[in-house]
Amino acid sequence: MLQKRRDLQPFLDRLTSRSRLNEQEQEAILALPSHAAQVQTNRDFVRLDQAVDHACIVVDGIVGRFGQTCEGARQITALHIPGDAPDLHSVVQPKARSVLQALTTTTILRVPHGAFRAVAARYPAVAEAFWRDCMVDAAILSQWVVNVGRRDAKTRIAHLLCEMAMRYRARPEGGEVTFDFPVTQAQLADATGLTSVHVNRTLMSLRHDGLAEVCQRRVRIMDWDGLVKVGEFDADYLQADIPSDERMRIVEAA
Amino acid sequence: MLQKRRDLQPFLDRLTSRSRLNEQEQEAILALPSHAAQVQTNRDFVRLDQAVDHACIVVDGIVGRFGQTCEGARQITALHIPGDAPDLHSVVQPKARSVLQALTTTTILRVPHGAFRAVAARYPAVAEAFWRDCMVDAAILSQWVVNVGRRDAKTRIAHLLCEMAMRYRARPEGGEVTFDFPVTQAQLADATGLTSVHVNRTLMSLRHDGLAEVCQRRVRIMDWDGLVKVGEFDADYLQADIPSDERMRIVEAA
DNA sequence: CGCGACGTTGAGTTCGGTCAATCAGCGTGG
DNA sequence: CCACGCTGATTGACCGAACTCAACGTCGCG
């Protein structure tokens, strides 16, 4: 039980980083019933058109949402890291419209839709927080369209690395920003609409420029400002780091 | 007043095509206070980082949501047609993260956030419908990532044409599907991540194949099945045509 | 020690971009 | 009525970023 509360904490943190929830509401989130599961690398755990009765929360690892073309080319449309609920939207739309796959060995929590709905019905501010949370994911999606639609390979990858650094809340240590990001170059390619060969060359060019490198399943950003510039990155859309007095609540005050 | 109710009807239709709302709730939507405005072609009516206190509903015309790169290259991340609320998400997230621009002379309705919030607070099923509606837009966004990330020019444009045909609820007449779609080739290019030159060539190739043509601000699809195949189009994600007994309501029964 | 997954490299190809010119339609004003 | 200018569509020649194919290296692991 205590274990589950601890596993739910990152999800609550994500919600409260943008929405204002009172003690009782936070408690209700932490008390959500859940069932932990481990998913192996490259294993789908939500399939297309599947009618689901629960939503997932990532506890550890990385989850990719996949879109596919007829030809079998895969495109990752979203990356989800611990604290994210990749299919929170399934609470209002239970038919899965895309595949969820673990990109590395991943631990997820399954929470029944009924539980989400009950807490949302009882606490309108929580329903609001869920909606807002989904909108953050949509804002990221919107950026990804720009990324794959209009930027060249170097800019694309730089942008993605900046985004992930912010989402992991990686903090500079000794002038460098470093964080674990255990994805393969092929997965990076699927996320950026490139081929793994070109990702490889682009990463080498970023390293050569002294901007960043990805190795040993870790990202090392040597020149944050430079990478931001090359990646045309503007962190606003992520809505990270909202001061606590600006976090939103549109239902009655907390 | 009656005019405004009529203008709000397409928005209500869009909501009720996926969510089940009772008489009272529907009435509350139609009674939303609003202020009509006309926007000229290529005019921004929501600017970046603007703090907005209202959301818009498209009554007539087409609205594009734009993302921009530093270099001034523009990417349309969403197209909105009558009945859509391009920035319904601003109800929970009032800071505009992208530009809204009219792609043709467009009539919009501005509805104060306060009104949306009041009706959502009073009728949980309406709040749920809003959330669900935003999720449909997110599903479209997700498809767009796949489209620009992994499909070639012909497939991209075919897919977009299929999507718009479905969203306009265009019905076949005499073996052809036809609908008004007053966008320029340059705007099509911004939506598909191509250049206008290449859009032109691709459209000609689609016409040459007897699949579809775009002229006089209208789309004419001569071979729907063929276009669907070329565009790798699967309409499921749009959640159009949901039979009335399958429309969702997770709060207490209607 | 051999296999599989991942990363790296090279050579050749192609899809789509760039640049620039031309054309067609249309509203405006002389 | 026609010249003008604007916007959008069309075309051609050339270019280059990213893809394809195929080989090879490297590391971890059973």
Side-chain angles (χ1 to χ4, degrees):
Chain A
M1 203 57 224
L2 281 177
Q3 177 59 42
K4 288 192 174 171
R5 287 176 64 92
R6 193 156 62 236
D7 286 349
L8 280 162
Q9 188 65 49
F11 175 60
L12 176 59
D13 291 343
R14 186 184 146 130
L15 291 178
T16 54
S17 73
R18 299 168 183 118
S19 306
R20 206 156 66 240
L21 299 176
N22 65 28
E23 280 290 323
Q24 219 174 8
E25 290 153 354
Q26 297 194 26
E27 183 52 38
I29 300 282
L30 290 178
L32 282 169
S34 66
H35 175 260
Q38 204 172 66
V39 187
Q40 294 308 310
T41 306
N42 295 330
R43 182 74 97 232
D44 294 357
F45 61 94
V46 172
R47 271 183 302 278
L48 202 59
D49 292 330
Q50 185 182 354
V52 284
D53 60 358
H54 60 267
C56 306
I57 294 172
V58 183
V59 174
D60 190 64
I62 299 186
V63 167
R65 180 178 319 179
F66 283 80
Q68 60 251 319
T69 75
C70 298
E71 303 313 306
R74 296 163 71 89
Q75 171 72 43
I76 296 180
T77 60
L79 288 175
H80 291 283
I81 64 176
D84 290 1
D87 57 353
L88 184 56
H89 55 85
S90 68
V91 170
V92 288
Q93 186 40 249
K95 189 159 164 197
R97 241 146 265 303
S98 43
V99 169
L100 292 181
Q101 180 181 100
L103 300 190
T104 181
T105 303
T106 295
T107 308
I108 59 169
L109 241 39
R110 296 184 200 268
V111 178
H113 284 159
F116 275 121
R117 290 167 183 169
V119 61
R122 183 151 156 67
Y123 303 106
V126 171
E128 176 193 327
F130 287 164
W131 180 6
R132 181 170 300 116
D133 202 66
C134 286
M135 290 303 94
V136 172
D137 283 342
I140 294 174
L141 216 41
S142 185
Q143 275 294 323
W144 279 41
V145 172
V146 178
N147 214 30
V148 294
R150 283 287 181 229
R151 300 205 241 254
D152 65 16
K154 203 167 182 175
T155 312
R156 264 184 235 193
I157 291 187
H159 193 279
L160 182 66
L161 294 182
C162 289
E163 176 186 312
M164 296 319 292
M166 292 292 292
R167 288 172 61 192
Y168 274 113
R169 305 190 165 282
R171 292 288 167 250
E173 358 167 327
E176 292 187 348
V177 180
T178 315
F179 59 100
D180 283 314
F181 187 45
V183 294
T184 67
Q185 294 183 358
Q187 290 164 339
L188 234 35
D190 284 339
T192 49
L194 300 168
T195 55
S196 63
V197 171
H198 204 63
V199 165
N200 182 280
R201 293 181 170 136
T202 308
L203 284 177
M204 290 196 307
S205 125
L206 285 175
R207 177 169 14 183
H208 179 265
D209 296 348
L211 293 170
E213 63 181 9
V214 183
C215 62
Q216 309 295 347
R217 335 223 86 197
R218 279 181 75 75
V219 174
R220 198 160 73 93
I221 300 177
M222 288 85 84
D223 176 1
W224 174 257
D225 292 341
L227 195 67
V228 163
K229 201 166 166 196
V230 167
E232 305 183 350
F233 183 72
D234 176 356
D236 265 10
Y237 72 98
L238 289 174
Q239 300 179 240
D241 300 321
I242 298 178
S244 58
D245 58 326
E246 287 176 22
R247 290 172 193 158
M248 285 206 60
R249 162 182 276 249
I250 58 180
V251 303
E252 90 294 342
Chain B
M1 205 56 225
L2 281 177
Q3 177 60 43
K4 289 191 175 173
R5 286 177 65 92
R6 193 156 60 235
D7 286 348
L8 280 162
Q9 188 65 49
F11 174 61
L12 176 59
D13 290 344
R14 186 184 145 128
L15 291 179
T16 55
S17 75
R18 301 170 182 115
S19 306
R20 206 155 68 238
L21 299 176
N22 66 28
E23 280 289 324
Q24 220 174 9
E25 290 154 353
Q26 297 194 24
E27 181 52 37
I29 301 281
L30 291 177
L32 282 170
S34 66
H35 174 261
Q38 205 173 66
V39 187
Q40 294 307 310
T41 306
N42 294 331
R43 182 73 97 232
D44 294 356
F45 61 94
V46 172
R47 271 184 301 280
L48 202 60
D49 292 330
Q50 187 182 351
V52 286
D53 60 358
H54 59 266
C56 305
I57 293 171
V58 183
V59 174
D60 190 64
I62 300 185
V63 167
R65 180 178 318 180
F66 282 80
Q68 57 247 308
T69 75
C70 298
E71 302 312 305
R74 296 162 71 88
Q75 171 73 43
I76 297 180
T77 59
L79 287 175
H80 291 284
I81 66 175
D84 290 0
D87 56 353
L88 184 56
H89 55 84
S90 69
V91 170
V92 289
Q93 187 38 251
K95 190 160 165 194
R97 289 176 306 268
S98 44
V99 169
L100 292 181
Q101 181 181 96
L103 299 191
T104 181
T105 303
T106 295
T107 308
I108 58 169
L109 241 39
R110 293 184 201 271
V111 178
H113 284 160
F116 275 120
R117 290 167 183 171
V119 62
R122 186 151 154 66
Y123 302 105
V126 171
E128 176 193 328
F130 288 164
W131 180 7
R132 182 171 297 116
D133 202 67
C134 285
M135 290 305 91
V136 172
D137 283 341
I140 294 174
L141 215 42
S142 185
Q143 275 295 323
W144 280 40
V145 172
V146 178
N147 214 29
V148 294
R150 283 289 180 228
R151 301 205 241 253
D152 66 17
K154 202 168 184 174
T155 312
R156 265 185 235 193
I157 291 187
H159 193 277
L160 182 66
L161 294 181
C162 290
E163 176 186 313
M164 296 317 294
M166 292 292 292
R167 289 172 60 191
Y168 274 112
R169 306 190 165 282
R171 291 286 167 251
E173 359 167 329
E176 292 188 346
V177 180
T178 316
F179 59 100
D180 284 314
F181 188 44
V183 294
T184 67
Q185 294 184 357
Q187 290 164 340
L188 234 35
D190 284 339
T192 49
L194 300 167
T195 55
S196 63
V197 171
H198 204 64
V199 166
N200 182 281
R201 294 186 168 130
T202 308
L203 284 177
M204 290 195 308
S205 126
L206 285 175
R207 175 168 16 182
H208 179 265
D209 295 346
L211 294 169
E213 65 182 7
V214 183
C215 62
Q216 308 296 348
R217 337 223 84 198
R218 279 181 74 75
V219 174
R220 198 159 74 93
I221 300 176
M222 288 86 83
D223 176 2
W224 173 257
D225 291 341
L227 195 67
V228 162
K229 200 165 168 200
V230 167
E232 304 183 349
F233 183 72
D234 175 358
D236 264 8
Y237 72 99
L238 290 175
Q239 300 181 238
D241 302 320
I242 299 179
S244 57
D245 59 325
E246 289 177 21
R247 291 174 192 157
M248 285 206 61
R249 161 182 277 249
I250 59 179
V251 304
E252 90 294 342

